[in-house]
Amino acid sequence: MITVDEARARLLQLVTRGPVEKVPVAQAAGRVLGADVTATRDQPPFAASSMDGYAVHSDEVERHAMFKIIGEAAAGKRFSGSVQPGQAVRIFTGAPMPAGADFVVIQEDVSRKGDVITITETPGTKSNVRPAGVDFTVGTKLSAPRLLMPADIALLAAMNIAQVPVTRKPVVALIATGDELVMPGEDPGPEQIIASNTFGLRAMLQADGAEVRMLPIARDTEASLRTAFGLAAGADLVVTVGGASVGDHDLVAPVAEALGLERSFYKIRMRPGKPLMAGRMGDAAMVGLPGNPVSALVCGHLFLRPMVRRMLGLDPGPPPPKNAALAAPIGGNGAREHYMRAHVQDGRITIFDNQDSSLLSVLAASNALVVRPPDDPARAAGDMVSYLAI
Amino acid sequence: MITVDEARARLLQLVTRGPVEKVPVAQAAGRVLGADVTATRDQPPFAASSMDGYAVHSDEVERHAMFKIIGEAAAGKRFSGSVQPGQAVRIFTGAPMPAGADFVVIQEDVSRKGDVITITETPGTKSNVRPAGVDFTVGTKLSAPRLLMPADIALLAAMNIAQVPVTRKPVVALIATGDELVMPGEDPGPEQIIASNTFGLRAMLQADGAEVRMLPIARDTEASLRTAFGLAAGADLVVTVGGASVGDHDLVAPVAEALGLERSFYKIRMRPGKPLMAGRMGDAAMVGLPGNPVSALVCGHLFLRPMVRRMLGLDPGPPPPKNAALAAPIGGNGAREHYMRAHVQDGRITIFDNQDSSLLSVLAASNALVVRPPDDPARAAGDMVSYLAI
């Protein structure tokens, strides 16, 4: 058995960053910039007024100074003439500054009679002019990789980058395995349960930017597993859930090996999630997750999400653990790193009593996994522990 | 002018929680549970083995005890008989416990010869049996409202809630206004710039769960604005960007009022974002945002996101501010609450020098807004300040 860190390192070696595709800027939010982009224009493209007021030459700006209004400049409508001494142009926010003017007296500091204005207040030194290119200029770069946030989308739009190069979404195929499973909405028999792990994993990995293909449930037969693996063709990452242990009905490993799996490792020194299997299978990475729901979803957080992030070109993470004070004492840990379901609020963390790896209700009530190192001794209430936010 | 908190309170009064619709569980991730749901089954539906091993009666479990194997139970395949004294059933993880058995000896603790097993290790007291209903039982409730996370999706699937009641996505119509604007991908004239604010706002509000309609750019004419407002019909929230000030070309307020806007307020004592206008307009809430990109997007964070959350039935927020130490001294603040673009890392926060509200490049480089109260005095490096993560 290997450690969690070693397992993650080996899993990350199984995947590489995907190719770059172009998408419209309106669809680029939440995607990862796949190549550097550079502005092909200046913003603003001209010196522009930042206020509503009167454009004049700064040399003439003083209280009681009078100007004749010779025209108007609005956003999108430049004043085509030139401002001479004693002249002003009525100007609005965002409008290009007219030639000959370098100062905007705000309208609140002026009295106007017909075509003449008088400065009535002592103007400040602020010119109320935005220089051309103050936001960005031709060649200003936005560097890849970068998870594109709302402000980035606005910036790309302003740069007129209508088609944005982004890393292709990695394709993850999910295969639930087990004779006992039926799909939500079906009427389960008395010995059946509803497939749930793949639904949770799908939500998790889609939110991280993967394209998730949910394949039909594979039964505990070689033929059914072969069908499912066949349907996974073209995926970057094939994930099975269940059937990866060593029980007589655990056929994932033998079938995957018959189909060419080069196993990287099997079993991790952790709870939950010990019987995890991984390798390369043709052009895809393959991960066999344990079938208990909490095991599968915790392994999703710890391993699949970093793999998706690596395929997107992002720092794979996981983010560094945070710290909180235990709300109640906790016994010593065993030999495996333990990721305990917990709820953290206002810096205090409560570890749930029942850590059985089948309990989705407990996982759904959790917002943290307390990370207990191997052989961590008993801890008292108030002791600080590390946790991962989930 | 009113304060930011008062503005937010008034804006939240303009919207209400939307109706509930049902969506397939596979599409419910990131949606908000709109009504309580209750399980209609027990999980597990039967006492189940949590390990691979042999099901026996606990009274007989001791080192060197021998058992005759009378059958097998696998996940989805119950052993139909009953286990008598001296008998065992081969059992696999997740399988229903056979009648007469209440203990699973794990396979590692047993030696097997033909149909007979002998317990070779001293078994622990752990039965390795999951009681029926240990995860949830008929009637276990998941309470609304609740933003549905991956583990919730798995839990809903396990409960066989194939159709999930969620709050309808609020419909937000975005109208960029201005004669100077062209869409990304167009070839702007020398006095034109690219519409960018609505692209950033769309990304922001979609991520929060809104359905965003991007309407055609409205020009600075009454007719064009009327057309745009007409296209916004049916939206829960209509947002204009630009044209809401009091310049001669700022027609949003008069046109909206002609169309029935009941104004709630105009102007907020804040930087950036002072000239914000809001009210009710027919069946919709209406917000007129200022046109500077940073103003529009900061107002999106501070006001539109809470409105969307309120319409989804969630706590509108915003989340409580965090604290960080100033990396460099900062001068005193003026009379308006100031949301300064900043970057926080490892507890230290750097406020960008240029806080002009036109600078998308600065906003895109920011991950925080430092909140300066009105008349906040100058602060030294190392002083703690409040910020909102963005």
Side-chain angles (χ1 to χ4, degrees), chain B:
Chain B
M1 285 198 285
I2 59 178
T3 65
V4 169
D5 284 343
E6 188 176 346
R8 186 157 40 228
R10 290 208 202 173
L11 287 164
L12 290 174
Q13 286 170 1
L14 299 176
V15 293
T16 55
R17 190 179 128 174
V20 172
E21 64 183 5
K22 289 204 171 182
V23 297
V25 63
Q27 291 168 25
R31 301 293 297 269
V32 176
L33 194 65
D36 297 349
V37 294
T38 51
T40 56
R41 60 196 316 270
D42 298 340
Q43 177 75 358
F46 37 73
S49 178
S50 65
M51 300 293 280
D52 291 342
Y54 296 87
V56 297
H57 197 282
S58 52
D59 288 348
E60 300 187 296
V61 173
E62 58 183 15
R63 197 171 171 200
H64 303 313
M66 298 175 69
F67 301 86
K68 179 158 196 290
I69 301 168
I70 58 166
E72 179 181 302
K77 285 178 200 141
R78 177 185 294 275
F79 173 73
S80 56
S82 177
V83 177
Q84 304 297 323
Q87 296 182 338
V89 164
R90 177 73 168 124
I91 196 164
F92 298 97
T93 304
M97 287 294 287
D102 61 358
F103 195 100
V104 174
V105 184
I106 63 173
Q107 59 195 19
E108 290 82 353
D109 288 354
V110 157
S111 80
R112 176 171 177 168
K113 283 192 184 159
D115 280 351
V116 174
I117 57 165
T118 306
I119 298 181
T120 54
E121 311 291 326
T122 304
T125 54
K126 203 168 149 250
S127 70
N128 301 311
V129 176
R130 293 195 177 108
V134 66
D135 195 1
F136 54 80
T137 54
V138 172
T140 297
K141 190 190 285 188
L142 200 64
S143 296
R146 180 182 181 89
L147 178 63
L148 295 172
M149 306 294 284
D152 299 317
I153 299 300
L155 181 60
L156 288 165
M159 287 177 166
N160 204 11
I161 296 169
Q163 296 286 321
V164 182
V166 296
T167 311
R168 204 199 63 199
K169 285 174 176 259
V171 177
V172 181
L174 296 180
I175 305 172
T177 77
D179 285 341
E180 75 279 24
L181 299 179
V182 300
M183 289 291 280
E186 291 189 52
D187 192 16
E191 292 156 26
Q192 294 183 308
I193 60 174
I194 319 293
S196 59
N197 302 344
T198 44
F199 285 82
L201 290 169
R202 180 170 176 276
M204 183 188 291
L205 302 180
Q206 274 186 339
D208 279 345
E211 179 187 324
V212 179
R213 286 199 223 156
M214 183 91 92
L215 298 185
I217 294 167
R219 301 304 168 188
D220 293 326
T221 68
E222 194 180 311
S224 184
L225 278 165
R226 280 179 176 266
T227 298
F229 279 121
L231 290 170
D236 301 299
L237 170 60
V238 180
V239 177
T240 59
V241 185
S245 191
V246 292
D248 301 0
H249 299 275
D250 293 321
L251 299 174
V252 168
V255 171
E257 279 165 4
L259 292 171
L261 174 73
E262 295 167 49
R263 191 186 284 186
S264 168
F265 65 88
Y266 172 59
K267 286 194 179 175
I268 305 173
R269 198 178 302 123
M270 67 181 288
R271 291 174 65 191
K274 180 175 78 167
L276 186 146
M277 182 183 75
R280 286 290 304 179
M281 199 169 164
D283 293 333
M286 187 269 170
V287 175
L289 296 181
N292 271 319
V294 175
S295 309
L297 291 173
V298 167
C299 287
H301 281 293
L302 294 180
F303 303 119
L304 301 185
R305 297 182 68 184
M307 292 174 85
V308 166
R309 291 177 58 85
R310 164 64 57 86
M311 288 189 276
L312 287 167
L314 295 173
D315 175 1
K322 302 176 179 183
N323 298 298
L326 280 176
I330 182 81
N333 189 31
R336 288 187 272 155
E337 194 161 88
H338 196 175
Y339 290 79
M340 305 186 81
R341 278 68 75 195
H343 191 268
V344 62
Q345 188 162 22
D346 302 331
R348 282 174 69 81
I349 197 160
T350 304
I351 297 179
F352 288 100
D353 286 339
N354 194 338
Q355 293 286 322
D356 186 275
S357 61
S358 71
L359 302 181
L360 274 175
S361 54
V362 172
L363 185 64
S366 303
N367 62 4
L369 295 172
V370 170
V371 186
R372 308 283 313 275
D375 304 314
D376 191 42
R379 301 284 177 184
D383 282 3
M384 298 302 284
V385 292
S386 289
Y387 72 92
L388 300 175
I390 60 170

Side-chain angles (χ1 to χ4, degrees), chain A residues 38-78:
Chain A
T38 50
T40 56
R41 60 199 314 272
D42 298 341
Q43 177 75 359
F46 37 72
S49 177
S50 65
M51 299 295 279
D52 290 343
Y54 296 86
V56 296
H57 197 284
S58 52
D59 288 348
E60 301 186 298
V61 172
E62 58 182 15
R63 197 169 172 203
H64 303 313
M66 297 174 71
F67 301 86
K68 180 159 195 292
I69 301 167
I70 58 166
E72 180 180 301
K77 286 178 201 139
R78 178 184 293 276

Side-chain angles (χ1 to χ4, degrees), chain A residues 173-176 183 198 213-218 227-233 238:
Chain A
L174 295 180
I175 305 173
M183 290 290 281
T198 44
R213 285 199 223 156
M214 182 90 92
L215 298 186
I217 294 167
T227 299
F229 278 120
L231 290 169
V238 180

Side-chain angles (χ1 to χ4, degrees), chain A residues 291-309:
Chain A
N292 271 319
V294 175
S295 309
L297 291 172
V298 167
C299 287
H301 281 294
L302 294 180
F303 303 119
L304 300 185
R305 297 182 67 185
M307 291 174 85
V308 166
R309 290 176 59 84

Side-chain angles (χ1 to χ4, degrees), chain A residues 131-163:
Chain A
V134 67
D135 194 0
F136 53 82
T137 54
V138 172
T140 296
K141 189 190 287 190
L142 200 63
S143 296
R146 181 182 181 88
L147 178 63
L148 294 172
M149 305 293 285
D152 298 318
I153 298 300
L155 181 59
L156 288 166
M159 287 177 166
N160 205 11
I161 296 170
Q163 296 287 322

